[in-house]
Amino acid sequence: MRRAWQRVLALVHRDRIDRELDDEVRAHLELAERDARSAGLSPEDARRDALRRFGAIASMKEVHRDERGVPALEHLVRDIRYGLRAMRRNPGFAIVTVLTLTLGIGANTAIFSVVNAVLLRPLPYRDADRLVTIASSDVGRRGAAMALSYPDYQDIAKLTNAVADIAAYSNDRYNLTNTGAPREVRVTRTTPNLLAVLGVSPLIGRDFAMGESYAPFAIISHALWLSDFGGDESALGRMVSLDGQHFTIIGVMPSNFAFPDTSTGVWIPISWAVAGAPAMTEMRMYRAFSTVARLAQGGSLETLGADLDVLGGRVTASGEATSKSGTGESFTATLLRDRIEGSARQPLLILMGAVVLVLLIACVNAANLLVARANAREKEFAVRRAIGAGRWAIVRQLLVESVVLALGAATLGLALAAVGLHLLAARLPQGYVADIDAPVLVFTSVLAVATGLAFGVVPALRASAPTLERSLRDSAGGTAGQSHRLTRNALIVSEVALALVLLVGSALLVRSFIGVTTIDPGFDPQGLLAARIRLSPERYATLRQKRTFFDDVVQRLQTQPGVSAVTVADGLPLSGVINKVGMNPHSIRRDDPDTFLKITAVDVGSGFFSAMHIPILQGRAIIADDERAGAAPVCVVSKALADRLWPGQNAIGQVGLGRYDDTKVVGIAGDVRAESLEHEAGPAIYVPAAQDDHDWSYEQMWVVVRSAHPLRVVPALTQMVRGEDPTQPIASVSTYDAIIAQHYASLRLVMGLMTLFAGLALVLAVIGIAGVTAYAVSQRTRELGIRIALGAQAIDVLALLLRETAVLVAAGLGIGLAAALEATQTLRSLLYGVVSTDPVTYGGAALALGLVALLACYVPARRATRLDPIVVLRTE
């Protein structure tokens, strides 16, 4: 132990100990020299005799250092210093290598930061791996998860011992009116035990107590606390007014709490979800609640699943719930983490794979540079080996240089990743924040060391292998060795193969994106402005009041310059707010294959079809006369619904559409893709909003404005709503182009990043191929000069070099195509309108990469044709 401590001290006080050693050596030499002069030798002879007797001073010092210190660490420090000096002598090589690796390491760091935030970072709940969600599903359509009814929730809590506790909740939007400008906030209505199930506590204040399901209490989010109460703890005990209902604030959640998502601003007792609708707590057909449960000690997903199967069988046998397919109900449990990650996992893993390919190409390029540099230093290594340096010492020296280069690239890569994360921040899955934290730093450090070793090991082994004689022979001959040539060929083939995998994947996503964005949604989004307005029930209690509000806004907007049409609707296609109703098609068509048909149902104002540019194929649209009091109930159905219920018949004048039993069809409209651009348009029914006498009618409506310049209408729309009632917020104002762009934002992000990475791969491959070709030409100068001297024409030399590269590129393309066929299988779920094995995409990518690769080879090959054989041979 004492000896180890002395070694550590020797490292710290290295300079002082070296000076002491020098003084001691000098004293020994002076003493020996004095003794020799006393014996009669001259001063010069005495000095030589003293040195001869002492032996090799440098060797002695080295042995002494090894004995007193930590040799491995000292060798490492010495190798790092030597490597830095070598790079300083050749800054161009160091800069190019570091920048090449920076692209790969920076891209990997950025994507890993996102993966770490979304997939790896533990959820901020106690024992989060024991949290599950439970949903109902249709036995005949397993996988189509639905919410639970309140009786379902109660039965699960009583039935199973696999669950320690279970909470139910539902989400809605309320108008917050007493803490500043009125605005809409997302509210979660929950059973009192939600926070206890999750294992979290409020930052300040308290949780709901058991038995407070009907108390007018509220817990607010950290963001709302800061924005509306300035982060003042006196917010506890104050009120928030939600749709005119006053709730006393009893707690504030921590900043990292976001359940069920970051948009939630307030949590209130669950009683407010069923206020005015007591049937929701009694009937299984009202599936309005989500759940989160904590598995009991000893409980598992398997045991919970078995218990849920029992419950599903019992509910099906009772006939209490209405199954969509008529085959019964079932219940499924899913880990909360799996549900939260949702569809983000696969795109992130695909992007992670893409950046790994980019890094591999960067490593190949760096290896190319190191091989060329090691060849230039062969004589240096040969001399070092001739004077006693071991092979391991040379390998260690070169690997240390590689790692130092990679660490330099990692430093720049962190800055590049920070910029990338800033650009990605707004496009991350809701609720996730990606940053460069400790795990990301560890990942980048390990990646840098691994990268340095990966691209440095081959050049290091090659550089340490040649003997002095071979090195001298090669330098005299001026011809690259066969092994060198094989190494360079392998690097070109691997670069082309890796780049082609990324190009094919990127091209598939681009084609898919183009396919999605060119889909006809069934209406014209150009020139449309949409604004969602939710009226507070306490100010608009009657249907007349609500309708009057929207009628006034529509009439005033119609007078605005440039406005060609204005209407209202309670749901809009692709907005995420679409109502569905169910009916049994057998009531109209006995031979329909299903017993349940889900129909998009939209309450619309007159002028809806002209404003949206949805064609009326037969009959007429909803007109103003349909909105008069006492008007006959009418509807317009989509072509898909007319063809489904009345195939080969005229749907105009038909009745009997489920809940619209007495409503007569007056028109057939074109099909509209309401839920998603990727899915075919489903059946739809449009009824006049004025004929819907339900309490919730007109409570929340979209105002749709068609104008040549829709954004210019926004100030007028805001002013009119404020003028009509300043307490009513406008929740969302957007052009329809922006709504559709948001719809495929995820696909656009993945496609954009894949294209970026493919572009990086292509650039790196071109640089690598051009560099290798240029280096190969320089190594073959003598051979090419002889060929030209013997009569070879420029075109012959050019064809020779291009042909050799073409063979390598073709081999790389072949390997790349095989790898792409396997790798692109992971993209299948992201593709639309193109298959993962599309031959046109594969052929186009291979052809483009092949041409670019040959073009990259052409420049150095063309330069070789200008060699002067006399000058070359004289030089050789």
Side-chain angles (χ1 to χ4, degrees):
M1 189 68 186
R2 181 180 178 184
R3 184 173 179 80
W5 177 244
Q6 288 176 339
R7 285 176 179 267
V8 173
L9 289 179
L11 287 175
V12 177
H13 303 292
R14 176 191 175 94
D15 293 341
R16 181 176 60 80
I17 294 177
D18 278 347
R19 287 195 300 272
E20 292 175 353
L21 180 60
D22 290 341
D23 292 342
E24 188 175 352
V25 170
R26 188 181 310 109
H28 278 288
L29 288 175
E30 289 174 353
L31 182 60
E33 189 175 346
R34 187 167 58 245
D35 290 344
R37 284 201 302 270
S38 299
L41 295 179
S42 64
E44 293 75 12
D45 291 339
R47 180 66 179 174
R48 284 194 293 271
D49 183 69
L51 291 173
R52 180 180 57 78
R53 288 168 179 261
F54 195 87
I57 297 176
S59 177
M60 182 277 297
K61 286 182 177 180
E62 194 66 29
V63 171
H64 182 77
R65 290 192 187 100
D66 288 347
E67 289 180 348
R68 79 184 183 194
V70 183
L73 186 57
E74 290 193 351
H75 291 162
L76 177 62
V77 173
R78 187 175 58 198
D79 288 342
I80 292 175
R81 288 177 175 173
Y82 185 85
L84 292 175
R85 285 199 300 271
M87 283 179 243
R88 197 162 53 240
R89 288 195 298 270
N90 194 350
F93 159 79
I95 291 173
V96 172
T97 306
V98 167
L99 290 180
T100 299
L101 293 174
T102 296
L103 295 176
I105 294 177
N108 273 269
T109 300
I111 297 301
F112 177 79
S113 300
V114 178
V115 171
N116 178 54
V118 178
L119 303 182
L120 303 181
R121 192 177 293 166
L123 297 176
Y125 312 125
R126 177 171 54 83
D127 297 331
D129 58 341
R130 303 195 64 77
L131 294 176
V132 299
T133 62
I134 301 172
S136 65
S137 59
D138 194 314
V139 171
R141 302 178 181 181
R142 275 195 177 275
M146 300 182 293
L148 295 181
S149 66
Y150 201 76
D152 291 337
Y153 155 71
Q154 291 177 312
D155 283 346
I156 293 171
K158 296 174 185 174
L159 171 74
T160 178
N161 293 324
V163 167
D165 200 359
I166 180 171
Y169 62 92
S170 67
N171 305 301
D172 205 343
R173 296 184 179 278
Y174 286 67
N175 288 343
L176 176 63
T177 54
N178 73 319
T179 60
R183 70 180 191 278
E184 193 179 85
V185 294
R186 186 174 172 87
V187 176
T188 295
R189 301 165 301 202
T190 176
T191 51
N193 60 340
L194 175 65
L195 300 186
V197 170
L198 295 174
V200 295
S201 300
L203 177 67
I204 60 172
R206 67 173 179 86
D207 190 2
F208 297 118
M210 295 305 293
E212 289 185 340
S213 293
Y214 294 88
F217 292 154
I219 297 174
I220 63 175
S221 70
H222 193 271
L224 185 66
W225 180 49
L226 293 179
S227 63
D228 290 43
F229 299 94
D232 190 344
E233 293 192 10
S234 66
L236 297 179
R238 295 170 66 180
M239 298 285 183
V240 286
S241 179
L242 304 171
D243 281 357
Q245 303 281 346
H246 297 291
F247 296 84
T248 302
I249 300 173
I250 62 170
V252 177
M253 295 308 296
S255 58
N256 66 341
F257 182 77
F259 189 91
D261 54 51
T262 54
S263 66
T264 301
V266 184
W267 293 263
I268 62 176
I270 197 169
S271 63
W272 304 97
V274 296
M280 291 184 68
T281 62
E282 302 168 359
M283 302 182 67
R284 293 191 190 273
M285 65 180 295
Y286 289 106
R287 299 184 183 89
F289 299 95
S290 301
T291 57
V292 57
R294 178 172 291 280
L295 291 174
Q297 291 298 327
S300 65
L301 271 180
E302 290 72 21
T303 56
L304 176 58
D307 290 345
L308 292 176
D309 287 342
V310 173
L311 177 61
R314 198 171 73 191
V315 171
T316 299
S318 69
E320 295 179 70
T322 302
S323 167
K324 291 183 176 179
S325 66
T327 54
E329 302 292 327
S330 65
F331 300 92
T332 55
T334 308
L335 285 175
L336 179 64
R337 167 172 282 283
D338 292 342
R339 198 211 65 180
I340 291 178
E341 290 174 0
S343 58
R345 172 183 290 273
Q346 188 185 25
L348 283 178
L349 294 180
I350 290 172
L351 291 176
M352 198 71 219
V355 293
V356 168
L357 291 180
V358 172
L359 181 61
L360 288 177
I361 296 174
C363 285
V364 172
N365 268 6
N368 276 333
L369 293 170
L370 283 185
V371 167
R373 186 165 181 262
N375 288 341
R377 297 171 64 187
E378 267 191 349
K379 191 174 295 182
E380 170 197 342
F381 299 135
V383 171
R384 290 178 61 180
R385 292 204 61 183
I387 62 176
R391 184 178 184 184
W392 163 241
I394 295 176
V395 170
R396 185 189 64 211
Q397 171 64 51
L398 291 177
L399 287 180
V400 167
E401 290 181 18
S402 303
V403 172
V404 169
L405 288 169
L407 289 173
T411 304
L412 295 178
L414 285 172
L416 182 64
V419 175
L421 289 178
H422 178 72
L423 299 176
L424 286 173
R427 297 173 174 81
L428 292 180
Q430 193 174 36
Y432 290 98
V433 177
D435 48 21
I436 299 177
D437 52 12
V440 175
L441 289 176
V442 171
F443 168 82
T444 304
S445 301
V446 172
L447 182 67
V449 173
T451 299
L453 295 176
F455 75 81
V457 64
V458 172
L461 291 175
R462 287 186 47 75
S464 62
T467 63
L468 174 62
E469 294 77 8
R470 177 188 161 193
S471 174
L472 294 176
R473 184 179 65 246
D474 285 351
S475 64
T479 302
Q482 182 66 18
S483 59
H484 288 193
R485 187 172 300 179
L486 289 176
T487 301
R488 291 195 298 268
N489 292 347
L491 294 178
I492 289 180
V493 170
S494 58
E495 273 194 322
V496 172
L498 291 170
L500 183 59
V501 173
L502 277 177
L503 281 178
V504 171
S506 172
L508 287 172
L509 288 174
V510 168
R511 292 193 62 188
S512 181
F513 182 75
I514 293 174
V516 171
T517 55
T518 54
I519 292 173
D520 180 7
F523 63 96
D524 182 10
Q526 296 286 329
L528 275 183
L529 181 76
R532 186 165 54 84
I533 301 173
R534 184 177 185 279
L535 298 179
S536 299
E538 87 281 9
R539 291 185 60 85
Y540 297 88
T542 67
L543 186 59
R544 175 184 293 276
Q545 289 175 315
K546 290 183 283 188
R547 180 182 170 185
T548 300
F549 176 93
F550 285 106
D551 285 348
D552 290 345
V553 171
V554 169
Q555 290 172 10
R556 296 173 66 182
L557 278 174
Q558 285 173 334
T559 63
Q560 290 298 306
V563 172
S564 58
V566 184
T567 189
V568 294
D570 68 348
L572 290 179
L574 307 179
S575 68
V577 182
I578 283 291
N579 298 319
K580 296 283 186 179
V581 296
M583 68 167 290
N584 184 351
H586 289 177
S587 62
I588 297 177
R589 180 185 172 188
R590 294 290 181 185
D591 61 343
D592 193 280
D594 296 323
T595 59
F596 182 86
L597 181 61
K598 190 161 60 175
I599 304 171
T600 297
V602 190
D603 287 356
V604 302
S606 59
F608 174 79
F609 295 96
S610 60
M612 296 290 290
H613 284 187
I614 299 175
I616 297 297
L617 306 177
Q618 190 176 348
R620 65 172 177 84
I622 305 296
I623 58 177
D625 282 349
D626 298 324
E627 298 177 323
R628 287 186 295 104
V634 297
C635 69
V636 172
V637 298
S638 68
K639 184 176 184 299
L641 182 58
D643 291 344
R644 176 72 178 268
L645 297 181
W646 301 284
Q649 304 176 45
N650 186 359
I652 304 298
Q654 301 283 358
V655 295
L657 285 163
R659 58 177 284 199
Y660 307 102
D661 213 17
D662 57 347
T663 301
K664 184 169 70 175
V665 177
V666 297
I668 300 175
D671 291 330
V672 172
R673 300 190 183 223
E675 296 180 82
S676 166
L677 283 171
E678 297 89 335
H679 296 90
E680 295 295 330
I685 181 171
Y686 305 89
V687 298
Q691 294 183 0
D692 189 343
D693 57 358
H694 289 96
D695 292 339
W696 58 78
S697 180
Y698 278 107
E699 185 174 284
Q700 176 178 274
M701 300 292 280
W702 289 87
V703 177
V704 182
V705 181
R706 179 166 289 282
S707 170
H709 305 286
L711 288 177
R712 295 180 185 176
V713 184
V714 174
L717 171 63
T718 305
Q719 185 178 4
M720 287 176 187
V721 173
R722 295 283 182 268
E724 193 71 27
D725 186 345
T727 66
Q728 302 306 303
I730 302 177
S732 172
V733 182
S734 176
T735 64
Y736 229 104
D737 288 334
I739 292 175
I740 292 180
Q742 182 62 33
H743 179 75
Y744 48 70
S746 297
L747 176 60
R748 180 173 54 187
L749 175 63
V750 176
M751 183 271 299
L753 289 175
M754 280 291 288
T755 303
L756 173 64
F757 298 147
L760 285 177
L762 185 61
V763 170
L764 291 173
V766 168
I767 293 174
I769 293 170
V772 170
T773 305
Y775 181 71
V777 168
S778 70
Q779 294 296 296
R780 299 173 64 182
T781 300
R782 182 168 178 266
E783 171 201 343
L784 297 175
I786 293 174
R787 286 177 181 271
I788 295 173
L790 294 176
Q793 301 298 312
I795 189 64
D796 299 323
V797 174
L798 184 63
L800 171 68
L801 295 174
L802 289 179
R803 185 169 58 250
E804 291 179 353
T805 303
V807 171
L808 300 176
V809 170
L813 292 178
I815 297 172
L817 286 173
L821 280 171
E822 186 66 29
T824 54
Q825 297 302 307
T826 59
L827 298 177
R828 284 184 298 180
S829 63
L830 301 179
L831 301 180
Y832 177 84
V834 61
V835 296
S836 61
T837 56
D838 178 59
V840 175
T841 304
Y842 279 67
L847 179 62
L849 180 57
L851 292 176
V852 171
L854 290 179
L855 185 62
C857 167
Y858 175 79
V859 175
R862 185 77 179 84
R863 192 177 300 124
T865 63
R866 302 193 185 100
L867 289 175
D868 185 340
I870 297 177
V871 174
V872 171
L873 295 177
R874 182 183 299 136
T875 302
E876 293 295 327

